[in-house]
Amino acid sequence: MKTLFLYSIILTDKNLGMYAILLGVHSATRYFVVVSLVIAILMATYGYTQKKAFSESYNSIRHWTATIAHIQLIVGMLLYFKSPIALHFMKNTGEALKSVECLFFGLYHAVAMFVAIVLITIGSALTKRKKVDREKFKTMLVWFTIALIILFLAIPWPFSPFANRPYFRPF
């Protein structure tokens, strides 16, 4: 409980402008990642079930979904190494493991999101290399769906029992 009180003091410090901006950008960008993944999954499902040709528009959706995810990863990594919670986790791991919120942001969120983005990257690369259109759709559908499930589990939604944050964070 004491550490959570310290976090609230640190997070309200006006000198953490870059951290606050990164936090706002990271929070807002999550919706671009989720929406692009959902669109890619829906398009892959449609293309697979309707036996469509994997046109340039489908390829563009695949490409931009991976690109948006990579941008979110970069912002997330910058944020992680500026975060008072993550820094506390790295310096005081034993104590931090006792706090569900600290464990969530210090370990679970970072690892799960990294894994999800690796899955998006692999799925995108494998899709690009497939020769048959139906296999392209299937590959994109499977890899992106698994990544989306992991993302949903690791996002600190307002209803999350691990660490909850608002739907929209002001800058």
Side-chain angles (χ1 to χ4, degrees):
M1 193 66 173
K2 180 181 170 186
T3 56
L4 292 178
F5 176 72
L6 291 174
Y7 296 145
S8 66
I9 293 170
I10 292 169
L11 293 176
T12 57
D13 186 351
K14 300 293 183 196
N15 295 327
L16 293 173
M18 182 178 169
Y19 174 75
I21 291 169
L22 284 172
L23 195 58
V25 169
H26 188 66
S27 179
T29 309
R30 71 177 159 182
Y31 293 105
F32 291 107
V33 174
V34 170
V35 167
S36 68
L37 264 175
V38 169
I39 290 170
I41 290 167
L42 290 174
M43 297 298 277
T45 303
Y46 177 75
Y48 182 76
T49 59
Q50 300 300 312
K51 299 178 181 165
K52 296 286 186 182
F54 198 84
S55 65
E56 187 58 39
S57 62
Y58 289 111
N59 192 49
S60 181
I61 289 167
R62 174 204 57 79
H63 170 76
W64 281 106
T65 298
T67 301
I68 291 167
H70 289 135
I71 291 168
Q72 179 71 335
L73 175 65
I74 291 167
V75 174
M77 289 174 67
L78 290 171
L79 181 62
Y80 185 82
F81 292 106
K82 289 286 184 190
S83 167
I85 297 173
L87 292 173
H88 175 75
F89 180 83
M90 288 184 268
K91 290 178 183 172
N92 307 299
T93 306
E95 178 189 334
L97 288 173
K98 296 174 186 167
S99 166
V100 174
E101 185 172 351
C102 197
L103 179 61
F104 178 81
F105 285 110
L107 184 66
Y108 177 71
H109 178 74
V111 170
M113 291 304 188
F114 184 77
V115 167
I117 293 177
V118 165
L119 292 174
I120 292 168
T121 304
I122 292 170
S124 178
L126 290 174
T127 299
K128 186 168 57 172
R129 287 164 179 74
K130 296 287 181 183
K131 301 292 184 212
V132 180
D133 288 344
R134 195 159 157 87
E135 286 298 312
K136 289 183 180 204
F137 286 121
K138 182 179 176 182
T139 303
M140 191 165 84
L141 177 61
V142 169
W143 287 87
F144 284 16
T145 300
I146 294 168
L148 183 64
I149 291 167
I150 293 170
L151 282 172
F152 272 133
L153 293 173
I155 291 175
W157 299 107
F159 50 84
S160 173
F162 306 113
N164 49 30
R165 295 293 184 263
Y167 284 116
F168 295 99
R169 184 177 293 276
F171 287 90

